[in-house]
Amino acid sequence: MDMNHLTMIATAAFGLEGVVAAELKRLGMAEVKGEIGGARFGGSLRDAFLCNLRLRCADRVMIVLGERECRSFEELFQFVKAFAWEDLLPADAKINVSGKCARSQLMSVRDCQAVTKKAIIERLKEGTGRSMFPESGAAYPIEIALHGDMARLTLDTSGEALNRRGYRTWNGDAPLRETLAAALVELSTWRPGMRLHDPCCGTGTLLIEAAFRQSHRAPGLTRHFAMEQFACFPAAECAAIRRQCQEDFQLSRVSAISGSDIDPEALELCRRHVNQAGLSGRIEVTNIPLQQLQLTGEPGVFLCNPPYGERLSDRRSCEKLYAEMGKLLRRHPGWSLCAITSDPMFERAFGKRADKKRRLYNGRLECEFLIYK
């Protein structure tokens, strides 16, 4: 297996494949192509590390080990066994196999995992002459994914999902995954240097992701990845990449990013998250109801993740909030407003149709990202 010429996939939530593909191109990756569930690209193990550090909207970076049509467990076994595992896995490798199936004849995820693990061990027995595999060393996260009758075998270089930046310790009532928040920042009308305010900031995820972008702060700067334990990991090269990311982070770039919320407890957690993100003193948040919010000075962008009113009892209060957001925009001439919502009544309550819409998913919840220019 040539670690300098790998085929990889940066996985992404549905609707964000194009955003991730654009990120990969900006990072200088080769042969970038969006596909359902992510974006495919070519590169080295060093490139995989760079992507883990710098990608803002991707979930994981996976090395593609092989792909083949498999209609039976025997075909799956032979497909997995054909890979030269003895060249990738050290003697004490911990072989962690995960799986997923969609519209496949082999619908049992557990059986697919078991067949995959058995095939790996059988190949290792033949390729190394050993019969014992203690699995006491570094973990190698392997995934077998079947979509239709096509099987894809991958090695996860990320470990924990890339949304785990390390700064958030509490999710709040309407959790927004960090990778989705970063995508909303990217898709909004805001750009670094402009003013940004979140009038429903909660625990601060949107504000922090905007500040990361403005300060050129790599999202994965303070965390580690599964690939750092691989025997083939180019430690010296990747240490230099991490140092460069540290040098690129300029806290002084963060300005004109602020938020407000009616919930003082959420704001306390927001301040804690801001500090944990290394942005202390750079993001101002205030305890004020949206109805009373009046900003002065240069216009900018309101970016928010308001409550969706999923429960019937909450719907009426949410519609009142959406109406207040319409009033907020009208009393701030020159401002734009961008909001993500799953509520089909948002525009009606807001009092105006959005200038632009984009379908996204917040977890399993289908949403629309609405932009009022």
PDB file of all heavy atoms in Angstrom, residues 116-143:
ATOM      1  N   THR A 116     -15.976  -9.483   8.061  1.00  0.00           N
ATOM      2  CA  THR A 116     -14.817  -8.635   7.772  1.00  0.00           C
ATOM      3  C   THR A 116     -13.670  -8.917   8.729  1.00  0.00           C
ATOM      4  O   THR A 116     -12.515  -9.086   8.306  1.00  0.00           O
ATOM      5  CB  THR A 116     -15.218  -7.148   7.854  1.00  0.00           C
ATOM      6  OG1 THR A 116     -16.228  -6.881   6.874  1.00  0.00           O
ATOM      7  CG2 THR A 116     -14.033  -6.239   7.609  1.00  0.00           C
ATOM      8  N   LYS A 117     -13.969  -9.004  10.012  1.00  0.00           N
ATOM      9  CA  LYS A 117     -12.921  -9.274  11.009  1.00  0.00           C
ATOM     10  C   LYS A 117     -12.303 -10.653  10.766  1.00  0.00           C
ATOM     11  O   LYS A 117     -11.067 -10.822  10.822  1.00  0.00           O
ATOM     12  CB  LYS A 117     -13.535  -9.187  12.409  1.00  0.00           C
ATOM     13  CG  LYS A 117     -12.571  -9.460  13.566  1.00  0.00           C
ATOM     14  CD  LYS A 117     -11.629  -8.300  13.778  1.00  0.00           C
ATOM     15  CE  LYS A 117     -10.763  -8.502  15.022  1.00  0.00           C
ATOM     16  NZ  LYS A 117     -11.442  -8.117  16.264  1.00  0.00           N
ATOM     17  N   LYS A 118     -13.131 -11.641  10.474  1.00  0.00           N
ATOM     18  CA  LYS A 118     -12.629 -12.985  10.220  1.00  0.00           C
ATOM     19  C   LYS A 118     -11.717 -12.999   9.003  1.00  0.00           C
ATOM     20  O   LYS A 118     -10.648 -13.641   9.023  1.00  0.00           O
ATOM     21  CB  LYS A 118     -13.795 -13.953  10.013  1.00  0.00           C
ATOM     22  CG  LYS A 118     -13.363 -15.403   9.788  1.00  0.00           C
ATOM     23  CD  LYS A 118     -14.566 -16.320   9.616  1.00  0.00           C
ATOM     24  CE  LYS A 118     -14.103 -17.756   9.375  1.00  0.00           C
ATOM     25  NZ  LYS A 118     -15.257 -18.670   9.182  1.00  0.00           N
ATOM     26  N   ALA A 119     -12.106 -12.282   7.945  1.00  0.00           N
ATOM     27  CA  ALA A 119     -11.297 -12.246   6.728  1.00  0.00           C
ATOM     28  C   ALA A 119      -9.945 -11.593   6.979  1.00  0.00           C
ATOM     29  O   ALA A 119      -8.916 -12.032   6.453  1.00  0.00           O
ATOM     30  CB  ALA A 119     -12.048 -11.507   5.625  1.00  0.00           C
ATOM     31  N   ILE A 120      -9.933 -10.539   7.793  1.00  0.00           N
ATOM     32  CA  ILE A 120      -8.669  -9.869   8.123  1.00  0.00           C
ATOM     33  C   ILE A 120      -7.741 -10.817   8.865  1.00  0.00           C
ATOM     34  O   ILE A 120      -6.550 -10.933   8.548  1.00  0.00           O
ATOM     35  CB  ILE A 120      -8.944  -8.598   8.954  1.00  0.00           C
ATOM     36  CG1 ILE A 120      -9.696  -7.563   8.115  1.00  0.00           C
ATOM     37  CG2 ILE A 120      -7.635  -8.006   9.477  1.00  0.00           C
ATOM     38  CD1 ILE A 120     -10.201  -6.370   8.922  1.00  0.00           C
ATOM     39  N   ILE A 121      -8.284 -11.504   9.864  1.00  0.00           N
ATOM     40  CA  ILE A 121      -7.464 -12.427  10.657  1.00  0.00           C
ATOM     41  C   ILE A 121      -6.934 -13.567   9.791  1.00  0.00           C
ATOM     42  O   ILE A 121      -5.757 -13.952   9.893  1.00  0.00           O
ATOM     43  CB  ILE A 121      -8.282 -12.982  11.850  1.00  0.00           C
ATOM     44  CG1 ILE A 121      -8.666 -11.850  12.814  1.00  0.00           C
ATOM     45  CG2 ILE A 121      -7.494 -14.069  12.577  1.00  0.00           C
ATOM     46  CD1 ILE A 121      -7.491 -11.140  13.445  1.00  0.00           C
ATOM     47  N   GLU A 122      -7.786 -14.116   8.931  1.00  0.00           N
ATOM     48  CA  GLU A 122      -7.335 -15.208   8.056  1.00  0.00           C
ATOM     49  C   GLU A 122      -6.214 -14.750   7.135  1.00  0.00           C
ATOM     50  O   GLU A 122      -5.244 -15.484   6.897  1.00  0.00           O
ATOM     51  CB  GLU A 122      -8.517 -15.746   7.235  1.00  0.00           C
ATOM     52  CG  GLU A 122      -9.532 -16.530   8.044  1.00  0.00           C
ATOM     53  CD  GLU A 122      -8.920 -17.741   8.746  1.00  0.00           C
ATOM     54  OE1 GLU A 122      -8.166 -18.484   8.087  1.00  0.00           O
ATOM     55  OE2 GLU A 122      -9.169 -17.920   9.953  1.00  0.00           O
ATOM     56  N   ARG A 123      -6.337 -13.543   6.599  1.00  0.00           N
ATOM     57  CA  ARG A 123      -5.273 -13.010   5.738  1.00  0.00           C
ATOM     58  C   ARG A 123      -3.986 -12.810   6.530  1.00  0.00           C
ATOM     59  O   ARG A 123      -2.881 -13.114   6.047  1.00  0.00           O
ATOM     60  CB  ARG A 123      -5.722 -11.684   5.114  1.00  0.00           C
ATOM     61  CG  ARG A 123      -4.628 -10.958   4.335  1.00  0.00           C
ATOM     62  CD  ARG A 123      -4.215 -11.710   3.078  1.00  0.00           C
ATOM     63  NE  ARG A 123      -3.055 -11.120   2.452  1.00  0.00           N
ATOM     64  CZ  ARG A 123      -2.973 -10.834   1.147  1.00  0.00           C
ATOM     65  NH1 ARG A 123      -4.011 -11.069   0.357  1.00  0.00           N
ATOM     66  NH2 ARG A 123      -1.865 -10.329   0.644  1.00  0.00           N
ATOM     67  N   LEU A 124      -4.100 -12.295   7.751  1.00  0.00           N
ATOM     68  CA  LEU A 124      -2.916 -12.092   8.578  1.00  0.00           C
ATOM     69  C   LEU A 124      -2.241 -13.417   8.921  1.00  0.00           C
ATOM     70  O   LEU A 124      -1.004 -13.513   8.965  1.00  0.00           O
ATOM     71  CB  LEU A 124      -3.292 -11.337   9.857  1.00  0.00           C
ATOM     72  CG  LEU A 124      -3.631  -9.853   9.697  1.00  0.00           C
ATOM     73  CD1 LEU A 124      -4.150  -9.277  11.006  1.00  0.00           C
ATOM     74  CD2 LEU A 124      -2.413  -9.068   9.214  1.00  0.00           C
ATOM     75  N   LYS A 125      -3.026 -14.454   9.166  1.00  0.00           N
ATOM     76  CA  LYS A 125      -2.456 -15.775   9.448  1.00  0.00           C
ATOM     77  C   LYS A 125      -1.636 -16.266   8.262  1.00  0.00           C
ATOM     78  O   LYS A 125      -0.507 -16.756   8.420  1.00  0.00           O
ATOM     79  CB  LYS A 125      -3.564 -16.780   9.768  1.00  0.00           C
ATOM     80  CG  LYS A 125      -4.200 -16.607  11.140  1.00  0.00           C
ATOM     81  CD  LYS A 125      -5.303 -17.636  11.351  1.00  0.00           C
ATOM     82  CE  LYS A 125      -5.949 -17.504  12.727  1.00  0.00           C
ATOM     83  NZ  LYS A 125      -7.046 -18.493  12.917  1.00  0.00           N
ATOM     84  N   GLU A 126      -2.203 -16.121   7.062  1.00  0.00           N
ATOM     85  CA  GLU A 126      -1.503 -16.580   5.866  1.00  0.00           C
ATOM     86  C   GLU A 126      -0.308 -15.696   5.531  1.00  0.00           C
ATOM     87  O   GLU A 126       0.742 -16.186   5.102  1.00  0.00           O
ATOM     88  CB  GLU A 126      -2.464 -16.606   4.679  1.00  0.00           C
ATOM     89  CG  GLU A 126      -3.582 -17.639   4.806  1.00  0.00           C
ATOM     90  CD  GLU A 126      -4.535 -17.609   3.635  1.00  0.00           C
ATOM     91  OE1 GLU A 126      -4.249 -16.874   2.641  1.00  0.00           O
ATOM     92  OE2 GLU A 126      -5.574 -18.287   3.687  1.00  0.00           O
ATOM     93  N   GLY A 127      -0.454 -14.391   5.738  1.00  0.00           N
ATOM     94  CA  GLY A 127       0.595 -13.457   5.337  1.00  0.00           C
ATOM     95  C   GLY A 127       1.747 -13.355   6.306  1.00  0.00           C
ATOM     96  O   GLY A 127       2.852 -12.959   5.915  1.00  0.00           O
ATOM     97  N   THR A 128       1.522 -13.702   7.588  1.00  0.00           N
ATOM     98  CA  THR A 128       2.577 -13.546   8.596  1.00  0.00           C
ATOM     99  C   THR A 128       3.031 -14.873   9.194  1.00  0.00           C
ATOM    100  O   THR A 128       4.098 -14.925   9.826  1.00  0.00           O
ATOM    101  CB  THR A 128       2.091 -12.644   9.743  1.00  0.00           C
ATOM    102  OG1 THR A 128       1.004 -13.292  10.439  1.00  0.00           O
ATOM    103  CG2 THR A 128       1.615 -11.298   9.221  1.00  0.00           C
ATOM    104  N   GLY A 129       2.237 -15.915   9.046  1.00  0.00           N
ATOM    105  CA  GLY A 129       2.577 -17.199   9.650  1.00  0.00           C
ATOM    106  C   GLY A 129       2.260 -17.261  11.129  1.00  0.00           C
ATOM    107  O   GLY A 129       2.529 -18.272  11.783  1.00  0.00           O
ATOM    108  N   ARG A 130       1.680 -16.196  11.661  1.00  0.00           N
ATOM    109  CA  ARG A 130       1.322 -16.188  13.081  1.00  0.00           C
ATOM    110  C   ARG A 130      -0.087 -16.736  13.285  1.00  0.00           C
ATOM    111  O   ARG A 130      -0.920 -16.670  12.391  1.00  0.00           O
ATOM    112  CB  ARG A 130       1.393 -14.762  13.644  1.00  0.00           C
ATOM    113  CG  ARG A 130       2.806 -14.213  13.702  1.00  0.00           C
ATOM    114  CD  ARG A 130       2.852 -12.823  14.339  1.00  0.00           C
ATOM    115  NE  ARG A 130       2.300 -11.796  13.454  1.00  0.00           N
ATOM    116  CZ  ARG A 130       1.177 -11.141  13.681  1.00  0.00           C
ATOM    117  NH1 ARG A 130       0.456 -11.404  14.780  1.00  0.00           N
ATOM    118  NH2 ARG A 130       0.746 -10.222  12.843  1.00  0.00           N
ATOM    119  N   SER A 131      -0.334 -17.233  14.478  1.00  0.00           N
ATOM    120  CA  SER A 131      -1.671 -17.730  14.800  1.00  0.00           C
ATOM    121  C   SER A 131      -2.315 -16.944  15.936  1.00  0.00           C
ATOM    122  O   SER A 131      -3.514 -17.069  16.188  1.00  0.00           O
ATOM    123  CB  SER A 131      -1.610 -19.213  15.188  1.00  0.00           C
ATOM    124  OG  SER A 131      -0.758 -19.392  16.314  1.00  0.00           O
ATOM    125  N   MET A 132      -1.521 -16.118  16.634  1.00  0.00           N
ATOM    126  CA  MET A 132      -2.028 -15.339  17.770  1.00  0.00           C
ATOM    127  C   MET A 132      -1.969 -13.849  17.440  1.00  0.00           C
ATOM    128  O   MET A 132      -0.969 -13.354  16.908  1.00  0.00           O
ATOM    129  CB  MET A 132      -1.187 -15.617  19.030  1.00  0.00           C
ATOM    130  CG  MET A 132      -1.223 -17.077  19.463  1.00  0.00           C
ATOM    131  SD  MET A 132      -2.877 -17.611  19.978  1.00  0.00           S
ATOM    132  CE  MET A 132      -3.080 -16.670  21.480  1.00  0.00           C
ATOM    133  N   PHE A 133      -3.040 -13.150  17.775  1.00  0.00           N
ATOM    134  CA  PHE A 133      -3.135 -11.718  17.515  1.00  0.00           C
ATOM    135  C   PHE A 133      -3.653 -11.038  18.778  1.00  0.00           C
ATOM    136  O   PHE A 133      -4.869 -10.987  19.011  1.00  0.00           O
ATOM    137  CB  PHE A 133      -4.049 -11.457  16.318  1.00  0.00           C
ATOM    138  CG  PHE A 133      -3.568 -12.135  15.059  1.00  0.00           C
ATOM    139  CD1 PHE A 133      -4.011 -13.416  14.736  1.00  0.00           C
ATOM    140  CD2 PHE A 133      -2.640 -11.521  14.248  1.00  0.00           C
ATOM    141  CE1 PHE A 133      -3.553 -14.061  13.596  1.00  0.00           C
ATOM    142  CE2 PHE A 133      -2.168 -12.153  13.098  1.00  0.00           C
ATOM    143  CZ  PHE A 133      -2.622 -13.423  12.773  1.00  0.00           C
ATOM    144  N   PRO A 134      -2.746 -10.556  19.624  1.00  0.00           N
ATOM    145  CA  PRO A 134      -3.148 -10.052  20.948  1.00  0.00           C
ATOM    146  C   PRO A 134      -4.017  -8.783  20.920  1.00  0.00           C
ATOM    147  O   PRO A 134      -4.751  -8.511  21.873  1.00  0.00           O
ATOM    148  CB  PRO A 134      -1.806  -9.764  21.631  1.00  0.00           C
ATOM    149  CG  PRO A 134      -0.844  -9.542  20.502  1.00  0.00           C
ATOM    150  CD  PRO A 134      -1.287 -10.468  19.414  1.00  0.00           C
ATOM    151  N   GLU A 135      -3.933  -7.991  19.874  1.00  0.00           N
ATOM    152  CA  GLU A 135      -4.695  -6.740  19.742  1.00  0.00           C
ATOM    153  C   GLU A 135      -4.507  -5.838  20.963  1.00  0.00           C
ATOM    154  O   GLU A 135      -5.460  -5.231  21.471  1.00  0.00           O
ATOM    155  CB  GLU A 135      -6.178  -7.025  19.503  1.00  0.00           C
ATOM    156  CG  GLU A 135      -6.446  -7.799  18.208  1.00  0.00           C
ATOM    157  CD  GLU A 135      -7.907  -7.764  17.798  1.00  0.00           C
ATOM    158  OE1 GLU A 135      -8.476  -6.659  17.747  1.00  0.00           O
ATOM    159  OE2 GLU A 135      -8.467  -8.848  17.536  1.00  0.00           O
ATOM    160  N   SER A 136      -3.288  -5.727  21.413  1.00  0.00           N
ATOM    161  CA  SER A 136      -2.979  -4.926  22.602  1.00  0.00           C
ATOM    162  C   SER A 136      -2.377  -3.573  22.253  1.00  0.00           C
ATOM    163  O   SER A 136      -2.072  -2.779  23.145  1.00  0.00           O
ATOM    164  CB  SER A 136      -1.989  -5.700  23.486  1.00  0.00           C
ATOM    165  OG  SER A 136      -0.816  -6.037  22.741  1.00  0.00           O
ATOM    166  N   GLY A 137      -2.198  -3.304  20.962  1.00  0.00           N
ATOM    167  CA  GLY A 137      -1.540  -2.067  20.547  1.00  0.00           C
ATOM    168  C   GLY A 137      -2.511  -0.997  20.082  1.00  0.00           C
ATOM    169  O   GLY A 137      -3.651  -0.908  20.549  1.00  0.00           O
ATOM    170  N   ALA A 138      -2.050  -0.189  19.148  1.00  0.00           N
ATOM    171  CA  ALA A 138      -2.844   0.930  18.639  1.00  0.00           C
ATOM    172  C   ALA A 138      -4.074   0.439  17.890  1.00  0.00           C
ATOM    173  O   ALA A 138      -4.050  -0.601  17.221  1.00  0.00           O
ATOM    174  CB  ALA A 138      -1.973   1.781  17.710  1.00  0.00           C
ATOM    175  N   ALA A 139      -5.162   1.214  18.012  1.00  0.00           N
ATOM    176  CA  ALA A 139      -6.415   0.864  17.342  1.00  0.00           C
ATOM    177  C   ALA A 139      -6.370   1.289  15.882  1.00  0.00           C
ATOM    178  O   ALA A 139      -5.921   2.383  15.550  1.00  0.00           O
ATOM    179  CB  ALA A 139      -7.582   1.526  18.052  1.00  0.00           C
ATOM    180  N   TYR A 140      -6.865   0.409  15.011  1.00  0.00           N
ATOM    181  CA  TYR A 140      -7.017   0.698  13.592  1.00  0.00           C
ATOM    182  C   TYR A 140      -8.516   0.614  13.286  1.00  0.00           C
ATOM    183  O   TYR A 140      -9.062  -0.481  13.154  1.00  0.00           O
ATOM    184  CB  TYR A 140      -6.230  -0.302  12.741  1.00  0.00           C
ATOM    185  CG  TYR A 140      -4.740  -0.035  12.708  1.00  0.00           C
ATOM    186  CD1 TYR A 140      -3.950  -0.260  13.831  1.00  0.00           C
ATOM    187  CD2 TYR A 140      -4.122   0.461  11.566  1.00  0.00           C
ATOM    188  CE1 TYR A 140      -2.584   0.003  13.818  1.00  0.00           C
ATOM    189  CE2 TYR A 140      -2.757   0.726  11.535  1.00  0.00           C
ATOM    190  CZ  TYR A 140      -2.006   0.494  12.663  1.00  0.00           C
ATOM    191  OH  TYR A 140      -0.643   0.747  12.634  1.00  0.00           O
ATOM    192  N   PRO A 141      -9.192   1.766  13.203  1.00  0.00           N
ATOM    193  CA  PRO A 141     -10.648   1.756  12.969  1.00  0.00           C
ATOM    194  C   PRO A 141     -10.967   1.451  11.499  1.00  0.00           C
ATOM    195  O   PRO A 141     -10.728   2.272  10.620  1.00  0.00           O
ATOM    196  CB  PRO A 141     -11.092   3.177  13.343  1.00  0.00           C
ATOM    197  CG  PRO A 141      -9.876   3.847  13.923  1.00  0.00           C
ATOM    198  CD  PRO A 141      -8.699   3.130  13.388  1.00  0.00           C
ATOM    199  N   ILE A 142     -11.502   0.279  11.252  1.00  0.00           N
ATOM    200  CA  ILE A 142     -11.821  -0.172   9.892  1.00  0.00           C
ATOM    201  C   ILE A 142     -13.337  -0.188   9.735  1.00  0.00           C
ATOM    202  O   ILE A 142     -14.048  -0.637  10.645  1.00  0.00           O
ATOM    203  CB  ILE A 142     -11.225  -1.576   9.646  1.00  0.00           C
ATOM    204  CG1 ILE A 142      -9.689  -1.506   9.681  1.00  0.00           C
ATOM    205  CG2 ILE A 142     -11.705  -2.157   8.318  1.00  0.00           C
ATOM    206  CD1 ILE A 142      -9.025  -2.827   9.974  1.00  0.00           C
ATOM    207  N   GLU A 143     -13.817   0.293   8.607  1.00  0.00           N
ATOM    208  CA  GLU A 143     -15.264   0.301   8.364  1.00  0.00           C
ATOM    209  C   GLU A 143     -15.581  -0.447   7.087  1.00  0.00           C
ATOM    210  O   GLU A 143     -14.905  -0.280   6.071  1.00  0.00           O
ATOM    211  CB  GLU A 143     -15.792   1.730   8.246  1.00  0.00           C
ATOM    212  CG  GLU A 143     -17.312   1.784   8.015  1.00  0.00           C
ATOM    213  CD  GLU A 143     -17.845   3.181   7.825  1.00  0.00           C
ATOM    214  OE1 GLU A 143     -17.859   3.675   6.675  1.00  0.00           O
ATOM    215  OE2 GLU A 143     -18.251   3.784   8.840  1.00  0.00           O
TER     216      GLU A 143
END
